Amino acid sequence: MTAGPAEDTRTRLLHTALRLFTEHGVEGTSLQMIADALGITKAAVYYHFKTKAEITEAVAEPGIRDLDDLVLRAGAQKRRGAQVDLLLEGFVDLVVRHRTLVALFSSDPGLIRAIEKSAHGGMEGFGQALLGILSGPAPDTAARVNAMVALTGIAMAGGSPDLAGLDDEELRTELLDVGRRLLGRPRRRTPLPVSTL
């Protein structure tokens, strides 16, 4: 089943908005710029979104939805180790999948404001949920610091232009290794190569 013209235009509009937000920032991007980049009228943009804030929220929504789902799935695990592993692996996957959005989130206050509005309980609520799972019940200072460094470090490195040349799998592997070390999690064993003797 293919998307209809309205859905296709909306999808293209969101991809274009994300690209322009990356180039000019949310504040520096106008609805007219988005319309011009798409080759449509500003009225056509208004058909899909009434304000730039609505576009910004829609651009951020897939990442927010994935993060919300991740927190729920990790919290549902019975063993603490399984919670930490699922959250860490899921967070790394999310950062790699949404690299551009993560980079923008790390640097653009306009996107942060939009995410604050659209996130259930705000980003502070997400942050507390993530940190709570990673640092555990009644954490000491070291556990809280390690959890915070793991989350912010993974997000900052994953969205860094300096690492944009890494392919997704290489970036995922490196971020997971760092996260596991910071959180005191055992390294995943990689299968030994089969001998060709």
Side-chain angles (χ1 to χ4, degrees), residues 10 22 26 32 36 38 42 52 61 69 71 76 82 86 90 94 110 114 119 134-135 139 150 157 162 169 180 195-196:
R10 185 180 192 279
T22 302
V26 171
Q32 188 63 58
D36 291 346
L38 279 167
K42 195 170 172 183
K52 184 169 64 173
E61 195 271 332
D69 179 58
V71 168
L86 192 144
L94 187 147
L134 292 182
S135 60
D162 294 333
E169 199 49 47
R180 284 192 181 104
S195 174
T196 56

Side-chain angles (χ1 to χ4, degrees), residues 94-104 158-160 163-169 171-172:
L94 187 147
V95 165
V96 171
R97 189 170 53 255
H98 298 288
R99 278 192 201 198
T100 305
L101 185 60
V102 169
L104 191 58
S160 171
L163 300 179
L166 293 179
D167 68 54
D168 287 355
E169 199 49 47
L171 180 61
R172 181 178 288 108

Side-chain angles (χ1 to χ4, degrees), residues 7-197:
E7 183 61 28
D8 182 51
T9 300
R10 185 180 192 279
T11 302
R12 287 180 37 240
L13 193 154
L14 292 175
H15 287 297
T16 300
L18 179 57
R19 180 177 56 79
L20 291 172
F21 291 165
T22 302
E23 293 171 9
H24 306 286
V26 171
E27 302 298 330
T29 302
S30 68
L31 292 177
Q32 188 63 58
M33 289 168 70
I34 295 169
D36 291 346
L38 279 167
I40 61 176
T41 65
K42 195 170 172 183
V45 173
Y46 280 124
Y47 174 79
H48 296 280
F49 300 99
K50 300 298 178 226
T51 65
K52 184 169 64 173
E54 286 182 9
I55 294 173
T56 309
E57 289 172 31
V59 163
E61 195 271 332
I64 297 289
R65 185 181 58 239
D66 289 352
L67 189 57
D68 194 23
D69 179 58
L70 175 61
V71 168
L72 292 173
R73 285 187 299 118
Q77 300 300 305
K78 300 217 183 303
R79 291 187 304 90
R80 172 152 160 61
Q83 289 179 341
V84 172
D85 288 343
L86 192 144
L87 186 72
L88 178 61
E89 290 173 17
F91 188 71
V92 167
D93 284 342
L94 187 147
V95 165
V96 171
R97 189 170 53 255
H98 298 288
R99 278 192 201 198
T100 305
L101 185 60
V102 169
L104 191 58
F105 174 72
S106 299
S107 64
D108 193 299
L111 184 66
I112 295 167
R113 280 191 296 277
I115 289 174
E116 284 291 336
K117 283 181 66 178
S118 64
H120 311 309
M123 285 310 288
E124 187 174 322
F126 272 134
Q128 292 306 314
L130 292 167
L131 288 172
I133 291 170
L134 292 182
S135 60
D140 61 12
T141 301
R144 287 180 22 240
V145 169
N146 283 345
M148 178 67 77
V149 170
L151 287 173
T152 56
I154 287 167
M156 295 293 285
S160 171
D162 294 333
L163 300 179
L166 293 179
D167 68 54
D168 287 355
E169 199 49 47
E170 185 177 11
L171 180 61
R172 181 178 288 108
T173 298
E174 296 301 327
L175 291 176
L176 276 173
D177 283 349
V178 168
R180 284 192 181 104
R181 282 196 306 268
L182 283 170
L183 297 170
R185 299 301 301 155
R187 291 188 69 168
R188 295 278 182 187
R189 294 178 192 223
T190 54
L192 295 172
V194 178
S195 174
T196 56
L197 294 178

